[in-house]
Amino acid sequence: MADAEIGLIGLGVMGSNLALNIAEKGNRIAVFNRTASKTHEFHQDAGPLRDRIVPCDTIEALAAAIRPPRPVIIMVQAGAAVDEQIAHLRGVLSANDIMIDAGNANFRDTMRRFGELEGSGLTFIGMGVSGGEEGARHGPSIMVGGAEASWKRVEKVLTAIAAKYEGEPCAAWLGPDGAGHFVKTIHNGIEYADMQMIAEIYGILRDGLGMAPKEIGQVFARWNEGRLDSYLIEITARVLEADDPETGKPMVDMILDRAGQKGTGKWSVIEAQQLGVPATTIEAAVAARVLSSLKDERVAAQAVYGGGVAPFPGGRDEVLADLELALFAGKVAAYAQGFAVMAEASRAFGWNLPLPTIAKIWRAGCIIRSQFLGTLAKAFSGGPVANLLMTPAFVQMMQEANPALRRIVARSAEAGLPVPALSSALGYFDSYRLGRGTSNLIQAQRDFFGAHGFERIDSSGAHHGPWGSGA
Ligand code: ATR
């Protein structure tokens, strides 16, 4: 009987949690997984939600179980598996049915899929979902791209399962085709920057100030009551306070310092570069993960250069106050970069991305959720601005916070502590606020070796310098 509201393909970690969330909100959901045993296990284990779940052994059965027009969420491994599911669904679904790719797709794949489905009568949605397993189960942040009419048809169920911030659902239609997956990619780039800067501050507290994990955890817990209030700061405090059940030592000290990545951070940097938007703090954060993976080389280099760290100068209270402000200033720079990338993508792809709405749907559910995003949404709601750094509220905050970032970066450099993301945030800020930069010299060099020409400050047109015969 075709009485399910919606269908879902792919009962991995994200898919099964999303399906339970959908069922819990009162919807009947048909589910299918490539490995059929997982479908039945999932159904068996669904407890009181069992009656709302229709386990299906084939995609044909799944389609037959949903009430038309049929929305089907695809939550399989990003890449070829999504194309396989779309190809199969094309043969089974009919006009006006909606395929929703909720995986971590590269937005360029999403754009391609929109193109391939054009004229098929089927509609497609590219949907970014953030919040990990917990978010998927109890309320993720949902970033939707596709035709607005398709969104209208799934809005009710998606807003019901999304996280709520003061009652407002953290789900929104953001624009056509790849808009949702693009915004999710930039979310992840910002997430990398947030995490890396927190890790750099942890490094200063650990190696520069010689503090123990639990003490550091208490510092983060205190900061979580102030301007840095956010999920990532909260979990950092909790991580630092945990002990390893096997050894009784602080858990964080037992974890190898080699970070993994699935690629979305890298995509955000590639797209920033493609769009010609500087996103140096996000770039530094992605590079830091890559560098962290070179564990053996780093150990060998320490033997050659010495990994010694000089004591961090300054009194502890003064340094702690500076670190809190420095992290905040770094965060402002990273978000300014991420939002500048989205503003440019919006122009380049004709998406008309609603920046204040994006900030609002990130206030809950997703990994970078924070109070800060509420302030950011307000700053953008006054209309288009060139950069977050130019909104009055952030001008004031950066004027207060940037001297601390400067002191922390300078002292870290002297002490030998790596702070690549924080120092790139400072470099970005200082370059952005420098009315007269140094690219006049770059232009002269380019003209010298390649006769590229330059503009003069006192007359228009292209000019060349008196370099003689050139390079
Ligand atoms: P997890 O989310 O548990 O880490 P995953 O490997 O990312 O798992 O896979 C997520 C989902 O994608 C699973 O439902 C998986 O199906 P199986 O349980 O049969 O492995 C699904 N999946 C991966 N590749 C697929 C493909 N080519 N076709 C269909 N489903 C696929």
Side-chain angles (χ1 to χ4, degrees), residues 208-355:
L209 272 67
M211 290 169 69
K214 285 196 176 54
E215 266 184 296
I216 303 175
Q218 284 159 10
V219 169
F220 279 106
R222 203 167 59 243
W223 288 349
N224 198 40
E225 316 263 293
R227 69 182 84 210
L228 291 170
D229 176 2
S230 61
Y231 172 71
L232 280 171
I233 295 286
E234 179 197 328
I235 65 163
T236 302
R238 288 177 55 187
V239 160
L240 287 160
E241 281 159 16
D243 286 325
D244 174 22
E246 280 178 38
T247 60
K249 291 185 179 158
M251 190 68 238
V252 74
D253 286 347
M254 301 306 295
I255 300 175
L256 193 66
D257 57 331
R258 190 156 60 190
Q261 53 176 322
K262 284 191 177 164
T264 46
K266 181 174 76 182
W267 294 344
S268 69
V269 170
I270 291 170
E271 296 309 331
Q273 295 273 4
Q274 293 283 6
L275 290 161
V277 180
T280 51
T281 307
I282 300 173
E283 284 169 23
V286 174
R289 284 209 196 178
V290 179
L291 228 148
S292 84
S293 70
L294 308 177
K295 175 75 175 175
D296 296 344
E297 281 182 55
R298 288 189 288 113
V299 170
Q302 176 167 347
V304 173
Y305 288 105
V309 170
F312 205 75
R316 178 178 283 207
D317 289 349
E318 173 211 347
V319 172
L320 287 180
D322 265 2
L323 286 171
E324 183 182 7
L325 267 181
L327 183 51
F328 183 80
K331 192 175 168 91
V332 173
Y335 282 68
Q337 294 166 17
F339 275 80
V341 175
M342 289 192 287
E344 184 51 32
S346 183
R347 274 189 290 276
F349 297 108
W351 285 335
N352 202 16
L353 290 178
L355 299 187

Side-chain angles (χ1 to χ4, degrees), residues 186 190 193 197 277-282 328-344 355 362 372-373 376 380 385-391 394 398 425 428-429 432:
I186 300 305
I190 293 174
M197 288 189 288
V277 180
T280 51
T281 307
I282 300 173
F328 183 80
K331 192 175 168 91
V332 173
Y335 282 68
Q337 294 166 17
F339 275 80
V341 175
M342 289 192 287
E344 184 51 32
L355 299 187
W362 288 351
F372 177 82
L373 280 158
L376 198 149
F380 277 130
V385 281
N387 188 293
L388 182 66
L389 291 172
M390 295 305 284
T391 60
F394 279 86
M398 272 309 260
Y428 175 79
F429 173 70
Y432 189 74

Side-chain angles (χ1 to χ4, degrees), residues 61-330:
L62 177 99
I66 312 167
R67 196 173 58 232
R70 297 170 285 197
V72 179
I73 296 177
I74 304 169
M75 197 50 139
V76 299
Q77 234 168 30
V82 176
D83 288 308
E84 280 171 37
Q85 298 313 310
I86 292 173
H88 200 149
L89 281 168
R90 276 184 86 151
V92 174
L93 297 180
S94 11
N96 296 322
D97 288 346
I98 313 171
M99 290 184 265
I100 305 166
D101 176 14
N104 253 337
N106 184 315
F107 90 103
R108 292 189 181 274
D109 283 335
T110 305
M111 305 278 265
R112 170 179 56 77
R113 289 170 185 143
F114 269 96
E116 288 167 0
L117 286 165
E118 213 164 282
S120 68
L122 296 171
T123 38
F124 191 61
I125 282 180
M127 181 168 107
V129 178
S130 174
E133 184 181 344
E134 184 68 13
R137 178 66 185 87
H138 297 293
S141 172
I142 296 178
M143 297 149 252
V144 174
E148 198 173 4
S150 326
W151 157 247
K152 291 281 172 221
R153 296 227 298 282
V154 288
E155 183 175 358
K156 200 166 148 237
V157 61
L158 295 183
T159 49
I161 63 165
K164 307 289 179 304
Y165 183 87
E166 293 177 355
E168 274 182 68
C170 291
W173 175 74
L174 301 175
D177 48 66
H181 277 139
F182 185 88
V183 170
K184 171 70 192 337
T185 298
I186 300 305
H187 165 284
N188 285 23
I190 293 174
E191 176 185 312
Y192 272 53
D194 257 341
M195 291 170 73
Q196 174 62 24
M197 288 189 288
I198 292 172
E200 290 173 12
I201 297 283
Y202 154 71
I204 296 170
L205 293 166
R206 184 188 71 183
D207 300 333
L209 272 67
M211 290 169 69
K214 285 196 176 54
E215 266 184 296
I216 303 175
Q218 284 159 10
V219 169
F220 279 106
R222 203 167 59 243
W223 288 349
N224 198 40
E225 316 263 293
R227 69 182 84 210
L228 291 170
D229 176 2
S230 61
Y231 172 71
L232 280 171
I233 295 286
E234 179 197 328
I235 65 163
T236 302
R238 288 177 55 187
V239 160
L240 287 160
E241 281 159 16
D243 286 325
D244 174 22
E246 280 178 38
T247 60
K249 291 185 179 158
M251 190 68 238
V252 74
D253 286 347
M254 301 306 295
I255 300 175
L256 193 66
D257 57 331
R258 190 156 60 190
Q261 53 176 322
K262 284 191 177 164
T264 46
K266 181 174 76 182
W267 294 344
S268 69
V269 170
I270 291 170
E271 296 309 331
Q273 295 273 4
Q274 293 283 6
L275 290 161
V277 180
T280 51
T281 307
I282 300 173
E283 284 169 23
V286 174
R289 284 209 196 178
V290 179
L291 228 148
S292 84
S293 70
L294 308 177
K295 175 75 175 175
D296 296 344
E297 281 182 55
R298 288 189 288 113
V299 170
Q302 176 167 347
V304 173
Y305 288 105
V309 170
F312 205 75
R316 178 178 283 207
D317 289 349
E318 173 211 347
V319 172
L320 287 180
D322 265 2
L323 286 171
E324 183 182 7
L325 267 181
L327 183 51
F328 183 80

Side-chain angles (χ1 to χ4, degrees), residues 10-14 33-35 38 75-77 81 84-85:
L11 292 168
V13 174
M14 289 297 283
N33 192 68
R34 176 181 59 177
T35 312
K38 234 192 219 177
M75 197 50 139
V76 299
Q77 234 168 30
E84 280 171 37
Q85 298 313 310

